[in-house]
């Protein structure tokens, strides 16, 4: 798979449902790609999605992603809110593709 031709694999454009909520609401949601095969699928920096409650149907846009290598790729979702500890959850891309969704609820914990 080449990075010279973005969108070359069908999974790069796969549309899935993203759904995150938190207690308390209003936390900022970020995501990034964590790959165990960086020569094929690059790791990415964090990208801001929105604030909780967050729901959108959007594409992965992960260059080089294929169904065969999707098991080796993880989406890391971080939720941040001032006065609370950051929370991080990881989602396997193969499972997200099969379920056509990435969703979770974050119970935020106050900082001391």
């Amino acid at each position: 798979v080449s990075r010279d031709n973005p969108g070359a694999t069908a999974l790069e454009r796969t549309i899935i449902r993203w759904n995150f909520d938190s207690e308390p609401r209003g936390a900022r949601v970020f995501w990034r790609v964590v790959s165990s095969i960086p020569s094929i699928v690059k790791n990415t920096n964090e990208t801001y999605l929105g604030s909780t409650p967050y729901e959108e149907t959007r594409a992965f846009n992960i260059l080089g992603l294929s169904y065969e290598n999707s098991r080796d790729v993880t989406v890391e979702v971080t939720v941040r809110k001032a006065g609370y500890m950051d929370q991080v959850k990881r989602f396997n891309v193969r499972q997200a593709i099969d379920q056509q969704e990435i969703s979770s609820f974050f119970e935020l914990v106050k900082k001391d």
Side-chain angles (χ1 to χ4, degrees):
V1 176
S2 169
R3 279 192 247 287
D4 300 331
N5 185 14
T9 71
L11 283 190
E12 290 177 10
R13 298 182 307 268
T14 296
I15 305 287
I16 64 165
R17 180 175 172 260
W18 299 65
N19 186 19
F20 303 105
D21 203 352
S22 67
E23 179 59 43
R25 287 183 159 179
R28 288 174 285 174
V29 181
F30 299 85
W31 81 291
R32 72 183 190 111
V33 174
V34 179
S35 171
S36 63
I37 47 169
S39 62
I40 301 170
V41 178
K42 277 189 182 173
N43 293 309
T44 65
N45 294 326
E46 279 189 342
T47 302
Y48 176 70
L49 289 174
S51 59
T52 59
Y54 176 82
E55 184 174 359
E56 185 177 15
T57 302
R58 63 188 305 272
F60 272 134
N61 292 327
I62 301 173
L63 294 182
L65 183 66
S66 67
Y67 194 74
E68 290 72 32
N69 68 25
S70 63
R71 188 172 280 130
D72 300 318
V73 181
T74 303
V75 168
E76 183 179 274
V77 175
T78 304
V79 172
R80 293 191 179 105
K81 186 170 175 79
Y84 294 85
M85 293 192 285
D86 290 359
Q87 289 207 9
V88 178
K89 293 186 181 182
R90 289 187 170 187
F91 303 89
N92 181 275
V93 171
R94 169 77 61 93
Q95 187 175 3
I97 291 165
D98 292 344
Q99 295 175 348
Q100 297 185 332
E101 124 172 328
I102 294 180
S103 62
S104 190
F105 183 84
F106 294 84
E107 190 75 45
L108 301 179
V109 178
K110 283 194 176 208
K111 289 182 182 175
D112 287 339

